[in-house]
Amino acid sequence: MFKDFLNNRVPAERQENPDGSVCLKPKGAQQPTILNVIIGALTVSYPFLIWFTADYFQPRSMALGLAGLFLLRYWLQKHGKSGGEAESRLILACALFLLIGALVNDAGWLLAYPVFVSLLFFAVFSFSLIHPPTVVERLARLEFPDLPAHGVLYTRKVTLVWSGFFLGNAVISLLTIWHGDRWLWSLYNGCISYVLMGLLMAGEMAIRRKVKASF
């Protein structure tokens, strides 16, 4: 999510060459981007897709379809030579989880997907705390290669906050499964969790402006 934003700060149709000149990208280059947007929209709306289709399709069909989307996204990433190894591993991990869900053919496995994703991000962020540089520091150094010591400390705190968020999100998502109300599960995982994430991002951006002013 954060990396996608950074990678798309320059409009896709106008890119600067190393010598400073500007070239227009061919229209065909826009197609992978459009496909990525469609795939991203479908994966984000995953909870509501499950809620609307659970009574019409077997869990195996849904799992295979969604796994196919992730594998397509992985192929587009490799084909377009975009993204990094870490992103590729996250995509493959999600695809593997869904393929296992297809074998299990259990609706509960599909409901656990948001829990798995949150725990996956928690693992990535918390692991970077133990083995720095942290995820947020790496992103910050894309803009500030010579990040000062207090900037590194700030990025570490932000990484810690996001680690706590993803862990808490996994717990709440698991509780919605335990409660047994599929509408509540869809509402939280498809709406409330994104609102909370947006609020956290907005708050962090407001604080970040003050921190950046001191660089």
Side-chain angles (χ1 to χ4, degrees):
M1 173 175 53
F2 303 100
K3 188 184 70 57
D4 289 342
F5 169 76
L6 291 170
N7 285 344
N8 290 306
R9 289 176 66 182
V10 180
E13 65 275 8
R14 290 174 59 86
Q15 297 287 348
E16 289 190 0
N17 289 322
D19 61 0
S21 61
V22 177
C23 65
L24 295 178
K25 295 183 69 177
K27 293 183 179 180
Q30 300 295 322
Q31 294 179 358
T33 302
I34 295 173
L35 284 174
N36 274 322
V37 170
I38 295 174
I39 294 170
L42 288 173
T43 52
V44 167
S45 60
Y46 173 90
F48 292 104
L49 287 175
I50 297 298
W51 183 58
F52 282 119
T53 61
D55 296 330
Y56 303 100
F57 298 97
Q58 288 190 357
R60 176 178 289 114
S61 301
M62 290 299 301
L64 285 174
L66 291 166
L69 286 177
F70 276 103
L71 293 174
L72 177 59
R73 185 171 184 178
Y74 174 80
W75 181 84
L76 290 172
Q77 182 196 56
K78 291 299 183 182
H79 181 72
K81 296 181 180 180
S82 62
E85 189 64 28
E87 183 181 357
S88 297
R89 291 177 180 177
L90 289 173
I91 294 174
L92 288 178
C94 292
L96 178 60
F97 181 89
L98 291 167
L99 288 174
I100 294 174
L103 293 174
V104 175
N105 197 29
D106 185 1
W109 191 274
L110 294 180
L111 296 179
Y113 172 76
V115 180
F116 171 77
V117 172
S118 291
L119 291 177
L120 194 60
F121 276 96
F122 167 73
V124 171
F125 277 70
S126 59
F127 182 81
S128 71
L129 288 170
I130 302 172
H131 299 279
T134 63
V135 172
V136 180
E137 180 184 342
R138 292 178 182 178
L139 294 173
R141 287 190 182 277
L142 295 177
E143 185 176 359
F144 300 99
D146 299 322
L147 192 66
H150 65 281
V152 174
L153 180 61
Y154 172 75
T155 57
R156 183 173 180 83
K157 291 179 179 178
V158 175
T159 302
L160 182 61
V161 170
W162 277 105
S163 297
F165 172 82
F166 287 121
L167 181 60
N169 193 58
V171 171
I172 297 175
S173 182
L174 187 61
L175 289 175
T176 61
I177 299 174
W178 176 79
H179 187 268
D181 187 337
R182 191 164 295 178
W183 164 243
L184 177 63
W185 174 86
S186 300
L187 179 63
Y188 178 79
N189 293 286
C191 181
I192 296 176
S193 64
Y194 291 113
V195 171
L196 295 176
M197 186 180 298
L199 291 174
L200 180 57
M201 291 179 65
E204 191 276 322
M205 288 179 65
I207 299 173
R208 189 195 311 169
R209 290 192 184 96
K210 298 181 180 179
V211 176
K212 286 171 64 176
S214 64
F215 287 178

